[in-house]
Amino acid sequence: MINKFTNSEIKILIWVLFSLLFIIFTNENIADYDFQKAKGAAASGQYYISISNNSPGAADIINYHHAQRFLIPYLLGIIKNITNLDINIVYNIFFICIILSIFFLKFKVNKTLGLDTINSLLFFGLLIFNPYILRYFFTYPVMVNDLIFILSCYCLILSLETNNKKLVFLSIVLGLISRQTGIAFLIAIIISKLFFKDKSLFSIKDIAFYLIFYFFLSFLIRLYVDILIDNESFSLEENGILGSNNLPYFPIEALFGIFIYFKDNFNTFEFTLFLLLPL
């Protein structure tokens, strides 16, 4: 098996393994499920746990934009019910599987790009030593939706480098079920078809197929929120399902939450400051 790797690839693999061990042993917390102490986006882990613990029923605490990301925690909840494992263990195992998948795809991308040893080390180092990625997810493995979105990005990169349409579809599926921003993949593909037409990798049938999946996922989201609304123990106003316009059902504009956020909340100065001083 070892003979299949070049000397350069073996060096990169060893460096990656030792770098991961360094991150694990120097991280302040590993697998923290105490959401009372969690800061920022990590506090939303309580919504994912609520979805999982109440699957196949409705979550007892959630807000409307996290309801859009219900599918992965919902399926993990079903796995918990089948295996009788603690939900934290299910998330930890799933987290490890996603991390391994990301590094597998990263190795594939690295090989496809033909990077030399130094550039390969930098390529992996940007992921491993980014404080907002590995350290964050090792601390809060419940945030698997965000991690799967990163996996979808690598799927898309590899698919475009290898002209693999199946990987493109997988990246769209993973992107859409994990985060609202996954719609950007779909929009980019449609724009590329409009501008490049016959030179585009994608046919009209491909785009139609992607759109069918998107609307099917939207239907599932609406269905889940209807279950939430019918749940007597669930408080609509307290948990925000009514949305900003007090709509009686899940607001359809929530499907485009990223665009609404930028329209209503984007501040150029604060964003620039965050890029320069990410504290």
Side-chain angles (χ1 to χ4, degrees):
M1 182 69 180
I2 195 74
N3 294 331
K4 293 183 179 180
F5 295 96
T6 65
N7 287 334
S8 176
E9 289 171 340
I10 293 172
K11 290 177 183 177
I12 294 166
L13 183 59
I14 293 172
W15 183 84
V16 167
L17 290 175
F18 276 101
S19 298
L20 286 173
L21 289 174
F22 173 79
I23 294 297
I24 292 171
F25 287 111
T26 59
N27 221 38
E28 184 178 356
N29 294 308
I30 297 292
D32 189 349
Y33 287 87
D34 185 358
F35 303 112
Q36 298 297 324
K37 298 186 300 182
K39 297 180 180 179
S44 61
Q46 63 183 311
Y47 304 132
Y48 300 137
I49 291 293
S50 177
I51 294 171
S52 298
N53 280 335
N54 290 282
S55 177
D60 52 13
I61 176 172
I62 201 171
N63 57 29
Y64 77 90
H65 60 281
H66 286 96
Q68 299 173 74
R69 310 171 192 171
F70 85 96
L71 191 56
I72 296 167
Y74 189 84
L75 294 176
L76 291 179
I78 291 176
I79 293 173
K80 173 189 78 81
N81 294 336
I82 294 173
T83 60
N84 289 321
L85 290 173
D86 183 82
I87 190 60
N88 293 357
I89 294 175
V90 173
Y91 270 92
N92 289 341
I93 293 172
F94 191 64
F95 163 76
I96 292 171
C97 292
I98 298 303
I99 284 290
L100 291 176
S101 299
I102 287 174
F103 276 96
F104 173 76
L105 286 178
K106 203 165 177 67
F107 271 105
K108 297 283 284 185
V109 171
N110 182 70
K111 194 169 184 177
T112 302
L113 295 176
L115 300 178
D116 59 30
T117 303
I118 298 299
N119 283 319
S120 295
L121 296 180
L122 290 173
F123 180 59
F124 283 96
L126 288 172
L127 174 70
I128 295 171
F129 295 105
N130 187 320
Y132 297 108
I133 302 182
L134 281 196
R135 285 191 182 275
Y136 176 80
F137 290 115
F138 272 119
T139 303
Y140 302 110
V142 71
M143 305 298 287
V144 290
N145 275 52
D146 295 346
L147 199 59
I148 287 178
F149 184 75
I150 294 174
L151 177 64
S152 74
C153 293
Y154 280 108
C155 280
L156 186 63
I157 293 169
L158 184 60
S159 67
L160 295 178
E161 285 291 331
T162 58
N163 292 333
N164 189 327
K165 288 187 179 182
K166 291 181 180 178
L167 265 182
V168 172
F169 179 64
L170 179 60
S171 69
I172 290 173
V173 170
L174 294 177
L176 288 175
I177 67 175
S178 59
R179 292 189 64 86
Q180 298 91 316
T181 40
I183 196 175
F185 295 168
L186 193 53
I187 293 172
I189 288 172
I190 293 172
I191 291 174
S192 73
K193 183 62 179 176
L194 291 174
F195 278 88
F196 297 103
K197 297 181 180 178
D198 293 338
K199 294 182 180 179
S200 173
L201 172 65
F202 311 101
S203 66
I204 297 296
K205 289 183 179 179
D206 295 329
I207 294 174
F209 187 60
Y210 302 154
L211 287 172
I212 288 171
F213 174 78
Y214 170 72
F215 288 118
F216 174 69
L217 180 61
S218 301
F219 167 76
L220 290 182
I221 292 170
R222 189 72 178 237
L223 189 64
Y224 183 72
V225 175
D226 284 340
I227 296 173
L228 286 175
I229 292 171
D230 291 337
N231 182 8
E232 294 180 359
S233 65
F234 187 84
S235 173
L236 299 182
E237 292 185 4
E238 179 183 348
N239 295 296
I241 282 291
L242 290 181
S244 57
N245 296 322
N246 287 324
L247 297 176
Y249 293 100
F250 186 61
I252 196 67
E253 67 265 30
L255 297 172
F256 306 96
I258 183 67
F259 305 110
I260 295 173
Y261 171 81
F262 277 111
K263 179 175 72 71
D264 296 337
N265 302 291
F266 186 75
N267 184 298
T268 304
F269 173 76
E270 290 182 359
F271 182 68
T272 304
L273 190 64
F274 170 75
L275 292 177
L276 296 176
L277 300 170
L279 301 176

